[in-house]
Amino acid sequence: MKKSCLEVKYTAVAIRHIVQSGLLTEDDLLLVSSLCEQYTEGEDNADFYPSYSLPSNKILLFAFGIVVAIVATLLSTFIIISLLILAVILLLFAVYKIICYYRVSVVRKDGIQLRDYLKQFDELLLMVSKCLRLIQEAEVVSRGYTRLTPLTPASRIEQQGTGYQCVVLRRCVVNVCENLLSGLHKAGTDLCSKFPLKVELADYQQPLPLEDSPQEVEAIAMESLKLFVRVVALHNSGLLRITALCLNGELTKEPPSFNLLSMLPTTLVHDSHSSLKQSFALHRNRVFGE
């Protein structure tokens, strides 16, 4: 079934946003770019605010109907019937325009959803990096150094066995990562079940499996925290890969709907960022008195 201009623009802009987000791994980027090549080429600044107008053939059809109704009104003795026909044509025209504007509003809402998700996840990763650096600085300061520098042996300080600094912040990072892993995996599974790909492409749609979390003491170690963050980034890349493939109606068994992007866990990412931001600010004040 041939796609409308609005559907093609919707798909192309959404996939380009995902490809250009910088949140895909190299393998996922190559896969999406190869399977959705026809949608990845275009303007980098394209956005989800299309100016949608009626196709010219439908405008001509409505105009022809209106002209015929007016002529019939002028030449016919059944003026009331002719006016009713004219009113019906105008009503159908108005209903069609309302439907068009509704479809555009759905596209705009989905576009905002995707844009916010990509932006907030990028900010979340940045906040996690700040938290890890703060933890390292706290470990360094507690051992007599002034501040973390490239020459400070931060990677070996935790191995000296004198206890962890910023334990609450470490646990906050662990909890955020665990919640994100669960939410990302659920979103990917829901997308796979609702918009399955064709049989020959099914392997590319499967989300990454969830692994058992490490023990509490191991989980809050710096290396474990960094591993958690890398795993979260991998799962997010997998979810974005699945989303991009589901957007391409040529790859799915059934045409995707306009509300596909609303299945992204935007609220979860936002709440995770807020939680980390509060914990980061509290521990920064405690460590450095800022």
Side-chain angles (χ1 to χ4, degrees):
M1 185 173 62
K2 187 178 179 180
K3 286 187 174 184
S4 67
C5 294
L6 181 61
E7 291 172 320
V8 172
K9 179 178 178 62
Y10 167 85
T11 302
V13 175
I15 293 178
R16 283 202 297 271
H17 271 58
I18 293 174
V19 169
Q20 297 168 4
S21 66
L23 296 174
L24 290 174
T25 63
E26 185 177 352
D27 292 339
D28 287 339
L29 178 60
L30 290 175
L31 177 64
V32 173
S33 299
S34 60
L35 293 180
C36 306
E37 184 177 2
Q38 68 273 32
Y39 296 114
T40 55
E41 298 177 356
E43 299 178 6
D44 293 343
N45 59 350
D47 209 341
F48 283 91
Y49 296 93
S51 55
Y52 189 69
S53 58
L54 288 173
S56 57
N57 58 339
K58 290 185 173 59
I59 293 179
L60 292 176
L61 180 62
F62 277 118
F64 177 75
I66 293 173
V67 171
V68 170
I70 293 175
V71 172
T73 302
L74 295 176
L75 300 180
S76 175
T77 56
F78 302 99
I79 298 178
I80 295 179
I81 296 178
S82 300
L83 289 175
L84 287 175
I85 295 174
L86 178 61
V88 169
I89 293 175
L90 293 175
L91 178 62
L92 291 175
F93 180 81
V95 170
Y96 189 85
K97 287 290 290 183
I98 291 174
I99 294 174
C100 292
Y101 282 120
Y102 171 75
R103 288 162 65 87
V104 169
S105 67
V106 173
V107 170
R108 289 176 176 174
K109 182 179 178 181
D110 266 11
I112 293 173
Q113 184 90 2
L114 176 62
R115 185 179 57 191
D116 288 348
Y117 177 81
L118 297 176
K119 179 181 178 181
Q120 289 179 17
F121 200 92
D122 190 55
E123 292 176 350
L124 174 64
L125 292 180
L126 180 60
M127 178 54 62
V128 171
S129 297
K130 289 182 178 179
C131 290
L132 297 183
R133 181 174 178 84
L134 177 63
I135 292 171
Q136 288 182 322
E137 288 185 339
E139 294 288 350
V140 168
V141 170
S142 68
R143 287 162 174 80
Y145 296 92
T146 54
R147 272 294 180 92
L148 185 65
T149 66
L151 299 178
T152 306
S155 60
R156 299 194 301 270
I157 283 180
E158 277 195 1
Q159 301 175 4
Q160 297 177 4
T162 57
Y164 292 133
Q165 301 294 319
C166 301
V167 175
V168 176
L169 180 58
R170 291 171 185 263
R171 289 175 179 168
C172 182
V173 174
V174 172
N175 291 335
V176 163
C177 290
E178 289 179 341
N179 292 335
L180 284 172
L181 289 176
S182 177
L184 293 171
H185 186 269
K186 182 181 183 302
T189 303
D190 292 343
L191 279 172
C192 293
S193 61
K194 193 170 183 179
F195 307 102
L197 295 182
K198 296 177 180 178
V199 177
E200 61 272 19
L201 300 173
D203 292 341
Y204 297 135
Q205 194 182 27
Q206 297 303 318
L208 295 176
L210 289 176
E211 299 180 356
D212 295 334
S213 301
Q215 298 297 323
E216 173 68 13
V217 177
E218 298 176 354
I220 63 175
M222 179 56 64
E223 293 303 318
S224 296
L225 295 178
K226 292 180 179 179
L227 178 60
F228 260 127
V229 176
R230 288 196 294 268
V231 173
V232 168
L234 287 175
H235 276 261
N236 180 65
S237 176
L239 175 60
L240 293 178
R241 164 177 47 83
I242 294 172
T243 303
L245 297 182
C246 290
L247 282 167
N248 189 347
E250 299 176 3
L251 305 178
T252 56
K253 296 180 180 179
E254 299 293 337
S257 59
F258 278 129
N259 63 351
L260 183 152
L261 295 175
S262 63
M263 300 178 67
L264 293 172
T266 308
T267 303
L268 174 62
V269 174
H270 177 269
D271 294 343
S272 300
H273 179 266
S274 299
S275 175
L276 277 178
K277 187 175 181 180
Q278 293 176 0
S279 185
F280 172 81
L282 177 63
H283 283 80
R284 183 181 58 185
N285 292 335
R286 288 181 178 178
V287 174
F288 302 113
E290 296 180 358

